[in-house]
Amino acid sequence: MYQLLIAQLKALTEDNPYRISNLANASALIYDSLEQVNWVGFYIMQDGKLILGPFQGKVACTQIEVGKGVCGTAVSTGKTQRVDDVHLFEGHIACDSASNSELVIPVYKDGEIFGVLDIDSPIKGRFSEEDQAGMEALVKELEKVL
């Protein structure tokens, strides 16, 4: 499934120099392709914090400090955060009370963290190691067009 998603992302982003368009299409592609997710989107680093970018789902938090919540932790550690139960994650920021698990992947541009891909699910333990590896590969493809 993830190889197909990556191929679709390539088709959507090749020859498109517009970063926001690429992020918007990527969030829509992921949201429409993954089952049991209720939010997919990007937070982009700006002025030393994460600012809400293109997304699919309910309204969301507009700013997240580095080191705060799952997204801010992904930035501060530079590592993917796969959380089976967000209610057990100290400092979790609840933008949507229906979210129970989360997968957050740092996105890099020119060796620096550009932002994060954030995926939420109402199902506890929704994201597997395979999901993590697949989404990390998709992010690597997306990084090529940033």
Side-chain angles (χ1 to χ4, degrees), residues 31 37-43 52-61 71 95-96 99 117-122 127:
Y31 187 81
V37 297
N38 60 325
W39 201 91
V40 175
F42 294 91
Y43 281 92
L52 181 64
F55 71 93
Q56 302 285 310
K58 292 184 178 183
V59 297
C61 305
C71 290
C95 294
D96 182 351
S99 294
L117 167 61
D118 182 15
I119 308 172
D120 294 353
S121 173
F127 303 105

Side-chain angles (χ1 to χ4, degrees), residues 4-18:
L4 176 59
L5 272 178
I6 291 167
Q8 290 172 320
L9 180 68
K10 280 183 183 180
L12 288 168
T13 59
E14 67 184 356
D15 301 323
N16 181 6
Y18 302 106

Side-chain angles (χ1 to χ4, degrees), residues 72-91:
T73 299
V75 171
S76 66
T77 63
K79 295 181 180 177
T80 296
Q81 302 295 305
R82 182 166 43 99
V83 180
D84 289 334
D85 184 346
V86 296
H87 307 290
L88 300 178
F89 188 93
E90 188 173 333

Side-chain angles (χ1 to χ4, degrees), residues 1-9 29-30 33-34 135 138:
M1 176 184 91
Y2 288 105
Q3 291 306 317
L4 176 59
L5 272 178
I6 291 167
Q8 290 172 320
L9 180 68
L29 175 66
I30 297 164
S33 300
L34 292 184
M135 294 292 20
L138 187 138

Side-chain angles (χ1 to χ4, degrees), residues 43-52 62-68 71-73 75-76 112-116:
Y43 281 92
I44 301 166
M45 286 298 298
Q46 188 173 321
D47 300 326
K49 57 189 161 196
L50 290 165
I51 304 299
L52 181 64
T62 58
Q63 301 178 41
I64 299 174
E65 298 293 327
V66 172
K68 303 287 184 184
C71 290
T73 299
V75 171
S76 66
E112 303 274 327
I113 291 186
F114 168 82
V116 297

